[in-house]
Amino acid sequence: MKDYSIYILAAYSFCFLSLILLIFLSKIYLSKSEKKLNEIDKNG
Amino acid sequence: MKNIFINPGQLNKLSEFLSPWLAIISFIFLIFGLWLSFFYSPIDYQQGNAVRILYIHAPSAWLSMLIYSFLAINSFFGLVFGHVTAFTLARAAAPIGLTFTAICLVTGSVWGKPMWGTWWVWDARLTSVLVLFFFYIGYIIFLKSFSDFTKGEKFSSILSIIGIVNLPIIKFSVDYWNTLHQPASISKFSSPSIHIDMLIPLIVMFLSFLFLFLYILILRFQAELIIRKININNMKFYKDS
Amino acid sequence: MKSIKMVRRRKKIYRIISLLLIISISLFLIIYALRDNVIFFYSPSEVREKVAKKEIIDGSLIRLGGLVQENSFLRNNKSQIFFVITDYKKEISVVYSGILPDLFEEGQGVIAEGFLRINENSMKFPEKFSLKKNDFYFEAQTILAKHDENYMPPEVADALEMEMNDND
């Protein structure tokens, strides 16, 4: 039976890197929107 | 109970409470699932250890379809009843579904190269999943392409409801047509054509991804709610001036 | 006041349902019209049927799918590969020179992409294929292995096979 470790590594790393990126971007999105809201509250 | 679905503020409060729990549950399932898929799961009699790709491929494929149904149902309620919560949930779900569809396509491709002998073929299953991917992209682009965000919401909701006809095509493509992609292994509950030692990691990984989806959904829901507030504020500002 | 809202809602629901209906009906018609094109490969029986109807002729580029017949695989010294694709009703001999995917095995599913050729004595198949003159064979350009939906550890597969042999 052949060893497919490289393919497994590629698949898992793509999967988890993209999920981590998604969480990271979502967190940034949330903090940015909160900042914006605070600015508006201060000004208006 | 009914109020939770109509009043976004209540869901927002609930989500603040739920968020850490969902993250913890997802993480526990993930660690357990990874251990199962790398150490507990036996190798397959034909695929060898390439079967381990299945444990992320199949759950992300299920989720990509589940999230799309969630998106379309929320769009429907948003359109018909005008619920802010439904629209916001749909908005929040779209990028997550897009990511899971991308994971499904890429991991499938990486599995296909050594197993089938090709990265990609244009058979009914692979093509219909690619169409699902484009529906997600279309939904997100439609959302952002109107200066009046409620208009964008309406158009993209209609698009997502149209896209729901694609889901049964994805599901049954492997049964109706000759495809390179194999038919479903777990369609029959009494005796799935997958060994129990491979079924357990599959289900644990699915649960992990499911809770991860809920966690990110809540995160994005909070953000989208704030953005909506800002947008409405801006619109009032322009109306007044 | 409330009733106007309800009527509007109902109208919206009807609109959405009719939209979905129209789209699914038109999609169904499109798929029905293109049913031959949606199919990824033909089985040997279908190919023979289509050859009889002249829908597939000598030199047609098609995909042929089925199982690799047991004890049919042969490799000659020019690294040409010969085997038979069968659907247990009809079979077609295949010639191929190239890399085989890892899942390729006798008794396993396979899809060959290439040209259908009429045998005009130019192609020498090994003797055991007993290809008659003017019968057709398949000249494959690419071979894809088709995986089935069964997943199990090797020990279980061995046990199953033993059981099968016992029953015979």
Side-chain angles (χ1 to χ4, degrees):
Chain A
M1 200 82 61
K2 264 194 182 172
D3 184 41
Y4 298 108
S5 300
I6 292 174
Y7 294 100
I8 297 171
L9 193 72
Y12 274 79
S13 45
F14 178 83
C15 171
F16 289 107
L17 284 179
S18 48
L19 284 177
I20 287 166
L21 189 71
L22 178 67
I23 295 173
F24 183 68
L25 288 179
S26 305
K27 288 215 162 179
I28 288 181
Y29 189 46
L30 179 62
S31 64
K32 266 194 178 168
S33 60
E34 273 169 347
K35 219 192 229 166
K36 233 184 191 173
L37 189 69
N38 281 340
E39 266 170 34
I40 288 173
D41 282 347
K42 243 187 250 161
N43 295 339
Chain B
M1 195 61 203
K2 201 184 158 199
N3 262 346
I4 284 183
F5 296 110
I6 299 172
N7 185 353
Q10 280 193 359
L11 192 62
N12 201 18
K13 258 184 216 153
L14 184 72
S15 60
E16 262 164 38
F17 163 76
L18 277 178
S19 180
W21 290 106
L22 288 169
I24 290 169
I25 293 171
S26 168
F27 191 70
I28 290 171
F29 270 122
L30 182 69
I31 297 297
F32 185 46
L34 280 178
W35 178 80
L36 283 175
S37 51
F38 277 106
F39 301 105
Y40 170 80
S41 157
I43 60 169
D44 184 69
Y45 74 120
Q46 286 181 323
Q47 308 165 44
N49 59 1
V51 71
R52 300 188 207 287
I53 295 176
L54 180 82
Y55 305 136
I56 49 174
H57 173 71
S60 48
W62 297 338
L63 266 176
S64 67
M65 290 170 71
L66 192 81
I67 295 172
Y68 197 87
S69 337
F70 179 82
L71 180 76
I73 289 168
N74 272 305
S75 298
F76 176 81
F77 279 106
L79 271 184
V80 175
F81 299 100
H83 291 172
V84 173
T85 317
F87 273 137
T88 316
L89 279 175
R91 249 172 205 273
I96 314 171
L98 184 73
T99 311
F100 276 115
T101 317
I103 291 171
C104 170
L105 287 168
V106 169
T107 55
S109 177
V110 169
W111 182 88
K113 182 61 189 164
M115 294 295 117
W116 291 338
T118 178
W119 295 106
W120 182 264
V121 289
W122 294 99
D123 82 345
R125 170 55 79 83
L126 277 67
T127 310
S128 55
V129 175
L130 189 67
V131 169
L132 180 73
F133 185 75
F134 288 143
F135 265 110
Y136 274 121
I137 292 181
Y139 178 87
I140 293 169
I141 289 177
F142 258 41
L143 269 184
K144 304 196 171 187
S145 49
F146 293 89
S147 52
D148 177 359
F149 77 98
T150 51
K151 228 179 215 168
E153 234 159 32
K154 242 181 206 166
F155 278 100
S156 56
S157 295
I158 292 168
L159 181 78
S160 74
I161 290 170
I162 291 171
I164 211 149
V165 293
N166 189 30
L167 291 185
I169 295 181
I170 295 177
K171 177 79 185 72
F172 297 112
S173 58
V174 285
D175 304 318
Y176 284 156
W177 298 297
N178 297 336
T179 53
L180 181 60
H181 194 284
Q182 54 269 34
S185 300
I186 326 184
S187 49
K188 34 196 193 285
F189 265 104
S190 50
S191 60
S193 356
I194 178 164
H195 191 265
I196 185 78
D197 285 350
M198 296 170 175
L199 187 62
I200 293 169
L202 197 59
I203 287 170
V204 173
M205 285 303 272
F206 171 68
L207 288 175
S208 161
F209 280 9
L210 184 67
F211 283 108
L212 189 67
F213 158 63
L214 291 176
Y215 169 71
I216 306 175
L217 179 74
I218 278 174
L219 198 66
R220 295 197 76 92
F221 174 75
Q222 291 170 327
E224 291 290 357
L225 215 56
I226 293 170
I227 297 279
R228 175 180 285 270
K229 225 181 249 173
I230 294 169
N231 277 337
I232 289 173
N233 195 56
N234 285 348
M235 277 164 86
K236 269 189 200 142
F237 178 77
Y238 284 123
K239 253 182 209 162
D240 291 345
S241 61
Chain C
M1 188 62 203
K2 201 177 181 186
S3 69
I4 292 173
K5 219 175 167 185
M6 296 279 269
V7 168
R8 269 197 197 145
R9 251 178 222 170
R10 193 164 291 166
K11 259 191 185 167
K12 273 182 187 166
I13 292 176
Y14 286 153
R15 237 179 257 162
I16 290 170
I17 288 174
S18 49
L19 178 77
L20 270 179
L21 260 169
I22 289 167
I23 283 168
S24 28
I25 289 171
S26 44
L27 199 72
F28 175 78
L29 289 174
I30 291 170
I31 289 173
Y32 187 73
L34 295 176
R35 63 194 178 283
D36 272 4
N37 299 49
V38 179
I39 283 172
F40 189 64
F41 60 87
Y42 297 113
S43 68
S45 314
E46 283 167 337
V47 168
R48 285 189 187 267
E49 222 172 80
K50 289 204 178 276
V51 167
K53 280 196 233 158
K54 296 258 185 325
E55 280 172 25
I56 294 175
I57 51 165
D58 181 30
S60 295
L61 177 67
I62 56 164
R63 292 198 197 90
L64 172 69
L67 297 173
V68 183
Q69 199 170 57
E70 299 279 349
N71 304 320
S72 73
F73 183 78
L74 211 72
R75 196 188 286 264
N76 72 2
N77 49 13
K78 281 183 281 178
S79 78
Q80 273 178 312
I81 293 156
F82 302 93
F83 58 93
V84 172
I85 291 184
T86 175
D87 55 0
Y88 294 124
K89 286 179 219 130
K90 296 273 162 56
E91 40 283 319
I92 290 176
S93 306
V94 180
V95 56
Y96 174 64
S97 43
I99 305 158
L100 289 171
D102 295 343
L103 282 188
F104 183 90
E105 218 179 310
E106 283 180 353
Q108 279 295 321
V110 72
I111 292 168
E113 198 177 66
F115 304 97
L116 197 77
R117 301 273 188 218
I118 305 283
N119 188 24
E120 287 159 335
N121 255 0
S122 55
M123 183 69 215
K124 288 269 180 294
F125 261 82
E127 269 174 29
K128 76 169 184 183
F129 284 82
S130 65
L131 201 68
K132 288 182 218 95
K133 199 178 170 184
N134 291 332
D135 195 2
F136 45 81
Y137 65 92
F138 196 75
E139 189 187 304
Q141 305 267 297
T142 333
I143 297 279
L144 303 174
K146 186 163 163 43
H147 188 260
D148 56 26
E149 70 270 36
N150 297 311
Y151 299 86
M152 53 187 148
E155 309 89 59
V156 179
D158 288 345
L160 268 182
E161 202 169 306
M162 292 249 288
E163 209 172 279
M164 290 260 282
N165 290 340
D166 287 349
N167 289 344
D168 291 344

Short mmCIF file of all heavy atoms in Angstrom, two decimals, chain B residues 6 17-18 39 41 48 54 60 65 76 79 117-118 121 125 127 129 136 139 164 178 199 203 206 212-213 220 238:
data_model
loop_
_atom_site.label_atom_id
_atom_site.label_comp_id
_atom_site.label_asym_id
_atom_site.label_seq_id
_atom_site.Cartn_x
_atom_site.Cartn_y
_atom_site.Cartn_z
N ILE B 6 -37.37 37.23 16.01
CA ILE B 6 -37.73 38.51 15.41
C ILE B 6 -36.83 39.62 15.93
O ILE B 6 -36.35 40.46 15.19
CB ILE B 6 -39.22 38.83 15.71
CG1 ILE B 6 -40.10 37.74 15.11
CG2 ILE B 6 -39.58 40.18 15.15
CD1 ILE B 6 -41.53 37.84 15.50
N PHE B 17 -23.48 35.00 25.24
CA PHE B 17 -23.37 33.95 26.25
C PHE B 17 -22.90 32.63 25.61
O PHE B 17 -22.08 31.91 26.17
CB PHE B 17 -24.73 33.78 26.94
CG PHE B 17 -24.87 32.51 27.71
CD1 PHE B 17 -24.27 32.34 28.95
CD2 PHE B 17 -25.62 31.44 27.19
CE1 PHE B 17 -24.40 31.18 29.65
CE2 PHE B 17 -25.76 30.26 27.90
CZ PHE B 17 -25.13 30.13 29.13
N LEU B 18 -23.43 32.33 24.41
CA LEU B 18 -23.15 31.03 23.78
C LEU B 18 -21.74 30.93 23.21
O LEU B 18 -21.15 29.85 23.19
CB LEU B 18 -24.15 30.79 22.65
CG LEU B 18 -25.52 30.24 23.02
CD1 LEU B 18 -26.37 30.12 21.78
CD2 LEU B 18 -25.38 28.89 23.69
N PHE B 39 -5.03 8.39 14.37
CA PHE B 39 -4.48 7.25 15.10
C PHE B 39 -5.45 6.09 15.26
O PHE B 39 -5.06 4.94 15.21
CB PHE B 39 -3.97 7.73 16.47
CG PHE B 39 -2.92 8.79 16.35
CD1 PHE B 39 -3.21 10.11 16.61
CD2 PHE B 39 -1.64 8.45 15.93
CE1 PHE B 39 -2.25 11.09 16.47
CE2 PHE B 39 -0.67 9.43 15.79
CZ PHE B 39 -0.97 10.74 16.06
N SER B 41 -8.38 5.53 13.41
CA SER B 41 -8.94 5.00 12.16
C SER B 41 -7.97 4.05 11.47
O SER B 41 -6.79 4.35 11.33
CB SER B 41 -9.26 6.18 11.24
OG SER B 41 -9.28 5.73 9.90
N GLY B 48 -5.54 2.89 1.23
CA GLY B 48 -4.45 3.08 2.18
C GLY B 48 -4.78 4.20 3.14
O GLY B 48 -5.93 4.35 3.55
N LEU B 54 -10.91 11.86 3.74
CA LEU B 54 -12.37 11.78 3.81
C LEU B 54 -12.93 12.47 5.04
O LEU B 54 -14.02 13.04 4.99
CB LEU B 54 -12.77 10.30 3.82
CG LEU B 54 -14.25 9.96 3.88
CD1 LEU B 54 -14.85 10.06 2.51
CD2 LEU B 54 -14.46 8.57 4.44
N SER B 60 -17.15 18.72 5.45
CA SER B 60 -17.27 20.05 4.86
C SER B 60 -18.26 20.05 3.71
O SER B 60 -18.94 21.04 3.47
CB SER B 60 -15.91 20.60 4.45
OG SER B 60 -15.19 19.67 3.72
N MET B 65 -23.69 22.18 2.13
CA MET B 65 -25.09 22.08 1.73
C MET B 65 -26.03 22.50 2.86
O MET B 65 -27.04 23.17 2.62
CB MET B 65 -25.41 20.65 1.29
CG MET B 65 -24.73 20.30 -0.02
SD MET B 65 -24.86 18.57 -0.41
CE MET B 65 -26.59 18.44 -0.80
N PHE B 76 -35.64 33.41 2.82
CA PHE B 76 -37.08 33.30 2.59
C PHE B 76 -37.84 34.04 3.68
O PHE B 76 -38.72 34.87 3.42
CB PHE B 76 -37.48 31.82 2.56
CG PHE B 76 -38.95 31.59 2.44
CD1 PHE B 76 -39.59 31.67 1.21
CD2 PHE B 76 -39.71 31.29 3.56
CE1 PHE B 76 -40.95 31.46 1.10
CE2 PHE B 76 -41.07 31.08 3.46
CZ PHE B 76 -41.69 31.17 2.22
N LEU B 79 -37.41 37.75 3.37
CA LEU B 79 -38.18 38.35 2.28
C LEU B 79 -39.65 38.45 2.64
O LEU B 79 -40.29 39.48 2.44
CB LEU B 79 -38.05 37.49 1.02
CG LEU B 79 -36.91 37.78 0.06
CD1 LEU B 79 -37.03 36.88 -1.15
CD2 LEU B 79 -36.92 39.23 -0.37
N GLY B 117 -6.70 9.51 -10.34
CA GLY B 117 -5.71 9.82 -11.37
C GLY B 117 -5.94 11.18 -12.01
O GLY B 117 -5.37 11.47 -13.05
N THR B 118 -6.78 12.02 -11.39
CA THR B 118 -7.01 13.35 -11.95
C THR B 118 -7.40 14.32 -10.85
O THR B 118 -7.99 13.92 -9.86
CB THR B 118 -8.12 13.32 -13.04
OG1 THR B 118 -8.33 14.65 -13.50
CG2 THR B 118 -9.41 12.78 -12.49
N VAL B 121 -12.59 16.49 -12.82
CA VAL B 121 -13.33 16.09 -14.01
C VAL B 121 -14.66 16.83 -14.00
O VAL B 121 -15.14 17.25 -12.95
CB VAL B 121 -13.61 14.57 -14.06
CG1 VAL B 121 -12.35 13.79 -14.33
CG2 VAL B 121 -14.29 14.09 -12.80
N ARG B 125 -21.50 15.48 -10.29
CA ARG B 125 -21.35 15.82 -8.88
C ARG B 125 -20.37 16.98 -8.70
O ARG B 125 -20.67 17.97 -8.04
CB ARG B 125 -20.87 14.59 -8.11
CG ARG B 125 -20.42 14.83 -6.69
CD ARG B 125 -21.45 15.51 -5.81
NE ARG B 125 -22.49 14.68 -5.30
CZ ARG B 125 -22.43 13.90 -4.23
NH1 ARG B 125 -21.31 13.81 -3.56
NH2 ARG B 125 -23.46 13.22 -3.82
N THR B 127 -19.33 19.19 -10.84
CA THR B 127 -19.80 20.42 -11.46
C THR B 127 -20.88 21.08 -10.62
O THR B 127 -20.89 22.29 -10.43
CB THR B 127 -20.32 20.14 -12.87
OG1 THR B 127 -19.35 19.39 -13.58
CG2 THR B 127 -20.60 21.41 -13.62
N VAL B 129 -21.33 20.91 -7.42
CA VAL B 129 -20.75 21.52 -6.21
C VAL B 129 -20.05 22.82 -6.58
O VAL B 129 -20.12 23.80 -5.83
CB VAL B 129 -19.78 20.55 -5.50
CG1 VAL B 129 -19.09 21.25 -4.35
CG2 VAL B 129 -20.52 19.34 -4.98
N TYR B 136 -22.74 30.88 -3.78
CA TYR B 136 -22.28 31.60 -2.59
C TYR B 136 -21.61 32.91 -2.99
O TYR B 136 -21.88 33.97 -2.42
CB TYR B 136 -21.27 30.75 -1.82
CG TYR B 136 -21.87 29.77 -0.84
CD1 TYR B 136 -21.64 28.41 -0.94
CD2 TYR B 136 -22.66 30.22 0.22
CE1 TYR B 136 -22.17 27.51 -0.04
CE2 TYR B 136 -23.19 29.33 1.13
CZ TYR B 136 -22.94 27.98 1.01
OH TYR B 136 -23.46 27.10 1.90
N TYR B 139 -24.16 35.39 -4.18
CA TYR B 139 -24.91 35.96 -3.07
C TYR B 139 -24.12 37.09 -2.41
O TYR B 139 -24.65 38.17 -2.16
CB TYR B 139 -25.20 34.86 -2.03
CG TYR B 139 -25.92 35.35 -0.81
CD1 TYR B 139 -27.31 35.42 -0.78
CD2 TYR B 139 -25.21 35.74 0.32
CE1 TYR B 139 -27.97 35.88 0.33
CE2 TYR B 139 -25.87 36.20 1.44
CZ TYR B 139 -27.25 36.27 1.45
OH TYR B 139 -27.90 36.73 2.55
N ILE B 164 -31.52 27.08 -4.40
CA ILE B 164 -31.87 25.90 -3.63
C ILE B 164 -32.19 24.70 -4.53
O ILE B 164 -32.03 23.55 -4.12
CB ILE B 164 -33.02 26.20 -2.65
CG1 ILE B 164 -32.87 25.32 -1.41
CG2 ILE B 164 -34.37 25.96 -3.27
CD1 ILE B 164 -33.36 25.93 -0.17
N ASN B 178 -24.26 8.57 -14.52
CA ASN B 178 -22.94 7.98 -14.36
C ASN B 178 -21.98 9.10 -14.02
O ASN B 178 -21.84 10.05 -14.77
CB ASN B 178 -22.47 7.34 -15.66
CG ASN B 178 -23.37 6.20 -16.07
OD1 ASN B 178 -24.03 5.61 -15.23
ND2 ASN B 178 -23.41 5.90 -17.36
N LEU B 199 -16.53 5.37 10.45
CA LEU B 199 -17.72 6.20 10.59
C LEU B 199 -17.61 7.12 11.79
O LEU B 199 -18.02 8.29 11.73
CB LEU B 199 -18.94 5.28 10.72
CG LEU B 199 -20.31 5.94 10.70
CD1 LEU B 199 -20.53 6.63 9.38
CD2 LEU B 199 -21.41 4.91 10.92
N ILE B 203 -18.11 11.23 11.95
CA ILE B 203 -19.20 11.90 12.65
C ILE B 203 -18.65 12.90 13.67
O ILE B 203 -19.17 14.01 13.80
CB ILE B 203 -20.13 10.85 13.31
CG1 ILE B 203 -20.95 10.17 12.22
CG2 ILE B 203 -21.04 11.50 14.33
CD1 ILE B 203 -21.71 8.97 12.67
N PHE B 206 -17.58 15.88 11.86
CA PHE B 206 -18.75 16.64 11.41
C PHE B 206 -19.29 17.50 12.55
O PHE B 206 -19.59 18.68 12.36
CB PHE B 206 -19.84 15.70 10.90
CG PHE B 206 -21.14 16.39 10.62
CD1 PHE B 206 -21.25 17.28 9.58
CD2 PHE B 206 -22.24 16.16 11.43
CE1 PHE B 206 -22.43 17.94 9.33
CE2 PHE B 206 -23.44 16.80 11.18
CZ PHE B 206 -23.53 17.70 10.13
N LEU B 212 -18.22 24.62 15.05
CA LEU B 212 -17.37 25.70 14.56
C LEU B 212 -18.17 26.66 13.69
O LEU B 212 -18.04 27.88 13.80
CB LEU B 212 -16.20 25.11 13.75
CG LEU B 212 -15.12 26.10 13.37
CD1 LEU B 212 -14.38 26.57 14.60
CD2 LEU B 212 -14.15 25.47 12.39
N PHE B 213 -19.05 26.09 12.86
CA PHE B 213 -19.92 26.93 12.03
C PHE B 213 -20.77 27.82 12.91
O PHE B 213 -20.88 29.03 12.68
CB PHE B 213 -20.80 26.04 11.14
CG PHE B 213 -22.05 26.71 10.65
CD1 PHE B 213 -21.99 27.83 9.83
CD2 PHE B 213 -23.31 26.25 11.03
CE1 PHE B 213 -23.13 28.47 9.40
CE2 PHE B 213 -24.46 26.87 10.59
CZ PHE B 213 -24.37 27.99 9.78
N ARG B 220 -19.99 36.47 13.36
CA ARG B 220 -20.31 37.33 12.23
C ARG B 220 -21.67 38.00 12.39
O ARG B 220 -21.88 39.11 11.90
CB ARG B 220 -20.27 36.53 10.92
CG ARG B 220 -18.91 35.98 10.57
CD ARG B 220 -18.86 35.57 9.13
NE ARG B 220 -18.76 36.73 8.25
CZ ARG B 220 -17.62 37.25 7.82
NH1 ARG B 220 -16.49 36.71 8.16
NH2 ARG B 220 -17.62 38.29 7.03
N TYR B 238 -28.20 60.93 5.69
CA TYR B 238 -28.35 61.48 4.33
C TYR B 238 -29.74 62.02 4.12
O TYR B 238 -29.94 63.01 3.42
CB TYR B 238 -28.04 60.39 3.30
CG TYR B 238 -26.56 60.16 3.17
CD1 TYR B 238 -26.01 58.91 3.36
CD2 TYR B 238 -25.71 61.22 2.86
CE1 TYR B 238 -24.65 58.70 3.25
CE2 TYR B 238 -24.35 61.03 2.75
CZ TYR B 238 -23.82 59.76 2.95
OH TYR B 238 -22.49 59.58 2.84
#
